[in-house]
């Protein structure tokens, strides 16, 4: 029976009842783990977190291993701790950079009075080694310097390992800790193929270049001797490879890419500058000049060759080389331009030798 609310107003057209769309076939994309022996649906599975296995509860077949325990772990809230009861079953992860097993026991004196505080102080004097504090302080300083200058995590860890070796061997007694840290960072950058010059490390660590050079030579000799005794380098790279001299054997091609990025040179300028520095090294040009001078001259030549010219002053400010040194080195490269410039740079990468300036 129609109600007053169902009455239509004059001129209103009644709406047709909605038509339900027919059910369409949809593929079930859910992944089901089923026992291949029992083939029960739904499967009767059990998770053994102590062994990390997924087991069929019907036949005992192990269906998976190394599962992750997703259950909640006990947490400690020191402010809400009632009765000094700590339900936590886990502790800090072991630090591979520190010696020992690191399984010491700490005594708290928050709620136990003066006797517990005295006992804690006595225990700290007995167990806490001064070497641990020195290592932790050095690691913190290395991480701060590397993070501030966007150095890779692998380089940071290698610098810490180098410092640990030096600290355990006690070969640099009396040397400034800042100089040792700067030398370890310098060496780690070279070991990973991202070398920094003495000038760059000096600006990062505020240690004189002369002090970094002296300390670095001692560390390099020690690590090379240790590697020879162990029949190979732990770092996987030869510390005495060719490609540099007073700048700690840092190679110009490895530096040119970073300097091109600082100058804002677009592709393919960094690639051309790196390949040009390689060819200069292979042909023995600019022998006796520092890798910084070689890298700066190659960048200056590559930028003009590819049509993105930079003045010697701009390149010199970025590379830390005087513009006069760049001009002098560039003259040698320009005289040998026919042997240095690859035809592919002209035909495929848009280079033009007519763009090269006279000086």
């Amino acid at each position: 029976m129609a109600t007053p609310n169902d009455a239509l107003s004059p001129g209103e057209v009644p709406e047709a009842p909605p038509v339900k769309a027919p059910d369409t076939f949809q593929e079930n994309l859910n992944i089901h783990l089923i026992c291949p022996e029992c083939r029960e649906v739904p499967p009767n599975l059990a998770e053994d977190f102590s062994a990390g296995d997924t087991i069929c509860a019907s036949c005992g077949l192990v269906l998976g291993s190394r599962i992750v325990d997703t259950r909640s772990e006990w947490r400690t809230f020191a402010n809400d701790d009632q009765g000094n009861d700590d339900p936590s079953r886990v502790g800090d992860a072991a630090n591979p950079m520190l010696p020992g097993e690191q399984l010491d026991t700490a005594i708290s004196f928050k709620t136990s009075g003066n006797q517990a505080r005295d006992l804690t102080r006595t225990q700290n004097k007995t167990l806490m080694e001064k070497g641990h504090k020195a290592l932790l302080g050095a690691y913190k300083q290395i991480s701060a310097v590397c993070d501030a200058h966007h150095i890779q995590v692998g380089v940071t860890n290698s610098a810490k390992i180098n410092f640990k070796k030096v600290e355990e061997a006690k070969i640099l007694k009396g040397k400034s800790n800042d100089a040792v840290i700067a030398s370890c960072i310098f060496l780690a950058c070279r070991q990973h193929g991202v070398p920094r010059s003495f000038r760059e490390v000096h600006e990062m660590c505020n240690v004189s270049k002369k002090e970094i050079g002296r300390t670095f030579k001692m560390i390099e000799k020690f690590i090379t001797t240790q590697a020879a005794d162990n029949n190979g380098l732990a770092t996987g790279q030869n510390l005495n490879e060719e490609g540099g001299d007073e700048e700690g054997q840092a190679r110009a091609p490895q530096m040119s890419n970073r300097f091109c990025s600082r100058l804002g040179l677009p592709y393919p300028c960094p690639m051309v500058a790196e390949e040009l520095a390689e060819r200069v090294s292979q042909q023995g040009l600019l022998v006796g000049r520092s890798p910084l001078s070689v890298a700066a001259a190659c960048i200056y030549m590559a930028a003009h060759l590819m049509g993105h010219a930079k003045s010697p002053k701009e390149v010199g400010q970025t590379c830390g080389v005087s513009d006069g040194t760049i001009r002098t080195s560039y003259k040698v490269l320009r005289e040998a331009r026919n042997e240095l410039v690859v035809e592919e740079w002209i035909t495929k990468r848009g280079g033009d030798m007519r763009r090269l300036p006279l000086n």
Side-chain angles (χ1 to χ4, degrees):
M1 183 176 181
T3 62
N5 295 333
D6 297 332
L8 300 177
S9 60
E12 184 178 358
V13 180
E15 295 181 358
V19 180
K20 184 179 180 181
D23 296 335
T24 58
F25 171 78
Q26 293 182 351
E27 183 181 359
N28 187 359
L29 299 178
N30 295 324
I31 299 176
H32 295 278
L33 180 62
I34 301 177
C35 177
E37 300 293 336
C38 303
R39 297 185 178 277
E40 295 179 350
V41 180
N44 183 17
L45 305 180
E47 294 180 339
D48 184 4
F49 291 107
S50 61
D53 297 333
T54 302
I55 305 172
C56 177
S58 300
C59 66
L61 180 65
V62 178
L63 304 179
S65 60
R66 297 183 179 276
I67 61 173
V68 178
D69 189 352
T70 57
R71 297 174 298 177
S72 61
E73 179 58 83
W74 291 109
R75 295 181 295 170
T76 302
F77 298 93
N79 296 333
D80 301 334
D81 193 3
Q82 301 294 333
N84 201 23
D85 181 20
D86 182 7
S88 179
R89 304 195 301 268
V90 297
D92 295 336
N95 188 349
M97 300 293 180
L98 295 177
E101 297 180 356
Q102 305 171 34
L103 299 176
D104 301 335
T105 301
I107 301 176
S108 175
F109 59 86
K110 293 182 179 180
T111 58
S112 302
N114 296 332
Q115 294 181 352
R117 182 175 65 243
D118 296 339
L119 183 60
T120 302
R121 290 176 178 174
T122 304
Q123 184 198 34
N124 290 338
K125 292 179 181 179
T126 304
L127 296 180
M128 181 59 73
E129 300 179 3
K130 294 183 179 179
H132 284 208
K133 293 182 179 180
L135 286 175
L136 289 175
Y139 293 162
K140 185 177 180 180
Q141 187 173 349
I142 291 173
S143 299
V145 172
C146 294
D147 292 344
H149 295 84
H150 308 288
I151 296 178
Q152 305 168 2
V153 177
V155 178
T156 304
N157 293 335
S158 295
K160 294 178 180 179
I161 293 174
N162 292 336
F163 185 89
K164 180 183 177 183
K165 292 179 180 178
V166 173
E167 185 69 17
E168 290 177 347
K170 305 294 182 182
I171 63 172
L172 295 176
K173 287 186 178 180
K175 289 289 185 180
S176 170
N177 203 42
D178 293 338
V180 178
I181 290 174
S183 301
C184 290
I185 294 175
F186 178 85
L187 179 59
C189 291
R190 241 185 60 194
Q191 290 171 340
H192 285 260
V194 287
R196 262 62 175 176
S197 64
F198 284 147
R199 184 179 291 106
E200 290 177 291
V201 178
H202 158 68
E203 294 174 355
M204 287 191 294
C205 303
N206 197 22
V207 181
S208 66
K209 293 186 290 184
K210 183 179 294 185
E211 187 67 21
I212 296 174
R214 291 174 181 173
T215 310
F216 164 73
K217 289 298 182 182
M218 298 175 67
I219 296 177
E220 181 188 32
K221 182 178 179 181
F222 165 71
I223 292 183
T224 305
T225 304
Q226 188 182 55
D229 295 339
N230 296 333
N231 296 324
L233 280 175
T235 57
Q237 182 174 354
N238 185 7
L239 297 180
N240 295 321
E241 64 178 352
E242 298 179 357
D245 35 39
E246 65 269 20
E247 289 293 342
Q249 299 180 353
R251 303 184 64 206
Q254 296 169 334
M255 291 180 159
S256 60
N257 200 357
R258 186 171 74 255
F259 291 144
C260 286
S261 177
R262 292 182 182 178
L263 286 167
L265 293 173
Y267 178 86
C269 286
M271 184 179 297
V272 172
E274 185 175 354
E275 293 179 2
L276 181 61
E278 288 281 2
R279 295 179 66 83
V280 169
S281 177
Q282 293 173 359
Q283 297 186 19
L285 299 175
L286 301 179
V287 176
R289 295 199 175 270
S290 70
L292 285 176
S293 302
V294 177
C298 292
I299 292 172
Y300 178 72
M301 182 174 179
H304 281 82
L305 180 67
M306 307 311 295
H308 302 281
K310 296 289 182 179
S311 65
K313 186 176 181 180
E314 292 177 293
V315 179
Q317 290 177 346
T318 302
C319 301
V321 183
S322 66
D323 53 350
T325 303
I326 295 177
R327 294 180 188 276
T328 304
S329 302
Y330 168 72
K331 289 180 180 179
V332 178
L333 300 184
R334 192 179 187 281
E335 292 177 358
R337 60 186 182 278
N338 294 327
E339 291 78 19
L340 292 176
V341 177
V342 181
E343 184 179 357
E344 181 183 356
W345 300 349
I346 308 297
T347 58
K348 296 184 178 180
R349 299 183 182 177
D352 190 350
M353 295 181 62
R354 293 174 296 181
R355 298 178 185 144
L356 295 177
L358 296 178
N359 52 23

